[in-house]
Every structure is written in structure tokens, then in C-alpha cells.
Amino acid sequence: MKKYRCEFCHEWLDEEDYLRHHQEHLKLRPDGQQNEYVTLPPDECEQASLEGIPCIYYHAKCDSYTGMPEEIIRSYLKNPYLYSADMSFCTGCKIHVPCLELVWTETGENMQVYNDRLRAEFSYSQEQSFLKRVWQWFNQSI
């Protein structure tokens, strides 16, 4: 039987159980958030210190602050394309709102600008890693 790894809790599930299990993670809590959000498995997340990494954002439209869970921060730091919807949950509005409307309290940077910068840096580092591997292969072939 085929197995799938849940992108929320990272359990391995039989194909027949996967859809039901997946739907449980998407159910909404009383505050409007999903039960859980997609994250990378703990061993694939960013392991470095989160010192200096913003974790609380402000939404001026409703004058509220929301904290970003550590497992989500560690996941997007490793792969900033993981959350490509460019929306984040607002505890004041009780819905997902555009990242363009949110500002990190620790840095004053707009969340969308921050996400775009992380993605650009990630793409550049991926490209450099690829070019380095090609260069090594080329030098070994000579």
C-alpha cells in the first residue's frame, strides 16, 4: 500500500487514511485559525538561532498584533517558497490577510517585502549552489 507523509504533522499514512487525516489539520479553531499549518519536518527546518528574526507582526487595519509560531518561522527560513499564498493569519481580524498589510514589529519591515527578499536570497543561493556543482563537475572532467 502506498504511503504519504503528512505535510502538517509529518506522520507517514496509508493512502486510504491520508485524505481524512489531512482534513483534520485544515479544520478551523474557534479563533479562526487552522488546527495546524504546513511546516517542514523538524530535521529539515532552519536550526540556527532565531535571534534577530522577527516573529510578531502588526496589522494597522484592526490595530492588532500576531505572533508567528516558531515551527513556521523555521520552515520559511529554510524554504521561503513554502508559503506562497502571501497571506498570514491576523488575530484581530480572525482571517488570513495579505502580507502587504502586515509589518514586523521588531524591524518595521513590511512582511511582503521581507518575504520577497528571503525568496530572492534563496533563489540566488540555489543558483550559486547549482553553478558550484556544475563547476566542480567540469573541473573533475578535465
Side-chain angles (χ1 to χ4, degrees), residues 2 8-9 19 23 25 34 52 55 58 61 69 75 84 90 95-96 99-100 103 105 112 122 135 137 140:
K2 193 168 187 175
F8 295 91
C9 67
L19 186 58
Q23 292 302 318
H25 292 294
Q34 293 172 192
C55 62
Y58 175 70
K61 284 189 176 181
S75 292
S84 60
C90 172
I95 59 170
H96 288 85
C99 291
L100 275 170
V103 175
T105 60
Q112 186 64 59
F122 179 80
W135 181 252
W137 172 84
Q140 290 172 354

Side-chain angles (χ1 to χ4, degrees), residues 89-112:
F89 190 80
C90 172
T91 57
C93 296
K94 301 197 181 327
I95 59 170
H96 288 85
V97 299
C99 291
L100 275 170
E101 297 178 3
L102 306 171
V103 175
W104 291 111
T105 60
E106 298 90 342
T107 63
E109 186 174 19
N110 176 276
M111 186 187 281
Q112 186 64 59

Side-chain angles (χ1 to χ4, degrees), residues 32-98:
Q33 289 191 70
Q34 293 172 192
N35 277 336
E36 293 184 63
Y37 288 85
V38 169
T39 59
L40 294 174
D43 61 323
E44 294 178 23
C45 286
E46 179 60 49
Q47 301 299 317
S49 167
L50 295 182
E51 186 175 334
I53 303 297
C55 62
I56 299 171
Y57 49 90
Y58 175 70
H59 189 214
K61 284 189 176 181
C62 67
D63 193 34
S64 66
Y65 296 85
T66 303
M68 181 79 69
E70 182 177 333
E71 63 272 12
I72 290 179
I73 294 171
R74 290 188 179 283
S75 292
Y76 76 66
L77 286 174
K78 198 64 157 190
N79 180 358
Y81 288 100
L82 187 61
Y83 307 105
S84 60
D86 292 330
M87 306 274 284
S88 197
F89 190 80
C90 172
T91 57
C93 296
K94 301 197 181 327
I95 59 170
H96 288 85
V97 299

Side-chain angles (χ1 to χ4, degrees), residues 16-31:
E16 63 190 32
D17 298 327
Y18 181 77
L19 186 58
R20 178 196 50 76
H21 176 88
H22 189 268
Q23 292 302 318
E24 289 298 314
H25 292 294
L26 296 176
K27 285 185 178 177
L28 299 181
R29 301 185 316 210
D31 68 359

